[in-house]
């Protein structure tokens, strides 16, 4: 406890310094992203109050339920990784189509009502202007901020996709993946191994369900601390849906997750493999000892992820209701 209290002021100073640097960076590349018509000020004239609306509703939801921050970030990732950042994960299934959100890998997603609330308010102010894909991307960004993570902006102007099919979610990374499989999976989306580790740091927030890690308990896992294995086993005594936090600061965006990996306290096999594998161990070590570095690399990787397979007017739309195609 003495060590933690002594380094806390230094971390606060470093975090504040990083925030200033990130804001400078944001202003410096304000219009750098000309990808598919995206830019930082896309809604400046058409819906100037979109940013405060998103922030206020996300903050209100976060105050009522701090665990929603992790849910919104995870939802954004699951959206972007399949069909690009096009809001396809928000679409409900119909009698003729089983959508992404009903795949086994997405059944634990939640927070849809937050996106619905934002969309409803924005439609009152700027009907038919702001896409659900942009709303989700902004909500995830604000979730990072409200939990103490890095401050960053994202280019906007995404359009909503018209496809959402359960079979596409086979491309989501599994919690049983090893480092090589994760590197290959993220590499197919254009991410380096280091960017993959930085994005994995989103597990500094939230929980995993027993069903995702109980396979590590059925036989001796040399990469799992013995005492921590007992903790996971105790969690699983309550069933497959029992929840285990990824680290002990489950609602704070920090680098505690990476420090847990150093102690063999990674909850998922796909967490611990980041430290076990020599391909990624150095990145884990760096982020465990340098939170500012993690914050900077994370926000850069999140901006990059938000640009995956962006839709434009030719292959997208602005949905009136985020849950169904127009």
């Amino acid at each position: 406890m003495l060590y933690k209290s002594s380094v806390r002021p230094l971390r606060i100073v470093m975090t504040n310094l990083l925030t200033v640097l990130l804001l400078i960076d944001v202003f410096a590349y304000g219009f750098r992203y000309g990808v598919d018509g995206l830019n930082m000020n896309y809604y400046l004239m058409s819906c100037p109050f979109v940013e405060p609306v998103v922030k206020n509703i996300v903050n209100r939801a976060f105050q009522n339920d701090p665990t929603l921050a992790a849910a919104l970030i995870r939802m954004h990732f699951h959206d972007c990784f399949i069909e690009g950042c096009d809001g396809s994960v928000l679409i409900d299934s119909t009698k003729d189509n089983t959508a992404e959100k009903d795949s086994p890998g997405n059944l634990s997603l939640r927070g849809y009502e937050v996106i619905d609330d934002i969309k409803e308010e924005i439609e009152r102010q700027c009907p038919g202007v702001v896409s659900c894909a942009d709303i989700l991307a902004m909500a995830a960004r604000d979730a990072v901020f409200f939990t103490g993570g890095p401050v960053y902006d994202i280019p906007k102007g995404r359009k909503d996709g018209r496809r959402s099919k359960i079979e596409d979610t086979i491309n989501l990374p599994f919690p049983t993946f090893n480092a090589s499989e994760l590197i290959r999976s993220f590499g197919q989306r254009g991410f380096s191994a280091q960017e993959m580790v930085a994005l994995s740091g989103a597990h500094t927030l939230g929980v995993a369900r027993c069903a995702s890690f109980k396979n590590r308990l059925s036989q001796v896992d040399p990469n799992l601390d013995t005492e921590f294995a007992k903790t996971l086993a105790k969690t699983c005594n309550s069933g497959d849906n029992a929840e285990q936090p990824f680290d002990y600061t489950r609602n704070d965006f920090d680098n505690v997750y990476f420090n847990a990996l150093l102690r063999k306290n990674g909850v998922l096999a796909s967490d611990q493999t980041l430290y076990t594998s020599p391909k990624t161990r150095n990145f884990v070590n760096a982020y465990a000892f340098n939170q500012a570095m993690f914050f900077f690399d994370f926000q850069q990787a999140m901006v990059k992820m938000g640009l995956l397979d962006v839709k434009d007017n030719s292959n997208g739309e602005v949905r009136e209701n985020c849950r169904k195609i127009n």
Side-chain angles (χ1 to χ4, degrees):
M1 294 300 294
L2 181 60
Y3 171 76
K4 183 178 179 182
S5 62
S6 65
V7 300
R8 195 170 190 82
L10 178 60
R11 285 187 174 180
I12 292 173
V13 171
M14 291 300 293
T15 299
N16 289 340
L17 176 60
L18 178 66
T19 297
V20 172
L21 292 174
L22 293 181
L23 285 173
I24 293 173
D25 192 42
V26 164
F27 287 119
Y29 66 40
F31 286 94
R32 181 191 304 168
Y33 296 99
V35 180
D36 296 314
L38 271 62
N39 69 66
M40 297 294 183
N41 298 301
Y42 186 84
Y43 296 113
L44 183 61
M45 301 303 292
S46 59
C47 194
F49 299 110
V50 62
E51 297 275 0
V53 168
V54 174
K55 274 188 168 62
N56 289 339
I57 293 178
V58 170
N59 186 37
R60 186 172 67 224
F62 176 67
Q63 294 300 321
N64 291 331
D65 180 4
T67 68
L68 278 173
L72 291 172
I73 297 168
R74 183 166 179 253
M75 189 190 298
H76 179 45
F77 171 78
H78 281 234
D79 180 39
C80 293
F81 223 73
I82 306 300
E83 288 293 309
C85 304
D86 64 351
S88 56
V89 75
L90 304 171
I91 296 174
D92 286 340
S93 295
T94 65
K95 63 179 182 179
D96 301 316
N97 178 65
T98 304
E100 292 174 26
K101 65 167 55 174
D102 287 321
S103 77
N106 284 338
L107 289 178
S108 59
L109 292 181
R110 62 193 188 89
Y112 297 108
E113 69 283 355
V114 179
I115 306 303
D116 291 338
D117 289 346
I118 296 171
K119 180 63 171 175
E120 184 178 341
E121 177 59 30
I122 290 177
E123 283 297 304
R124 276 199 290 266
Q125 296 192 23
C126 318
V129 173
V130 182
S131 68
C132 300
D134 270 351
I135 289 172
L136 180 52
M138 287 186 281
R141 174 205 60 192
D142 294 342
V144 172
F145 168 73
F146 286 123
T147 51
V151 178
Y152 62 96
D153 200 2
I154 55 172
K156 291 160 281 285
R158 300 162 186 78
K159 293 298 184 287
D160 297 321
R162 300 188 181 97
R163 174 189 174 93
S164 182
K165 294 186 177 295
I166 188 173
E167 56 264 30
D168 294 340
T169 61
I170 191 67
N171 294 316
L172 285 170
F174 286 83
T176 55
F177 274 11
N178 59 35
S180 295
E181 291 170 319
L182 288 170
I183 290 171
R184 182 172 63 252
S185 178
F186 279 77
Q188 291 171 347
R189 301 294 186 279
F191 293 103
S192 67
Q194 183 166 3
E195 289 170 330
M196 179 271 290
V197 175
L199 288 171
S200 297
H203 281 180
T204 182
L205 301 173
V207 300
R209 286 181 166 81
C210 173
S212 299
F213 59 80
K214 67 179 182 180
N215 61 298
R216 305 183 69 198
L217 307 175
S218 57
Q219 55 187 359
V220 177
D221 184 344
N223 300 314
L224 181 61
D225 176 76
T226 304
E227 289 303 311
F228 191 61
K230 294 177 182 177
T231 298
L232 296 183
K234 184 177 180 180
T235 297
C236 285
N237 285 339
S238 299
D240 281 358
N241 288 324
E243 297 177 341
Q244 175 66 39
F246 286 112
D247 65 44
Y248 64 82
T249 59
R250 59 175 288 183
N251 295 323
D252 294 331
F253 198 101
D254 50 34
N255 67 339
V256 173
Y257 163 80
F258 292 107
N259 282 279
L261 302 186
L262 270 57
R263 301 190 305 273
K264 295 186 176 182
N265 282 189
V267 177
L268 303 176
S270 58
D271 292 320
Q272 194 59 52
T273 189
L274 301 178
Y275 186 66
T276 304
S277 171
K279 297 177 181 178
T280 50
R281 182 181 301 137
N282 288 341
F283 304 134
V284 173
N285 278 324
Y287 295 151
F289 290 103
N290 190 336
Q291 179 170 279
M293 179 183 179
F294 164 50
F295 276 21
F296 185 80
D297 287 353
F298 178 82
Q299 64 93 19
Q300 295 281 355
M302 282 291 283
V303 172
K304 180 176 178 178
M305 186 181 74
L307 300 174
L308 286 176
D309 299 326
V310 169
K311 306 294 189 297
D312 57 23
N313 285 320
S314 66
N315 59 0
E317 63 185 14
V318 174
R319 282 185 226 133
E320 294 180 18
N321 181 332
C322 291
R323 293 177 178 266
K324 59 183 182 180
I325 298 167
N326 290 344

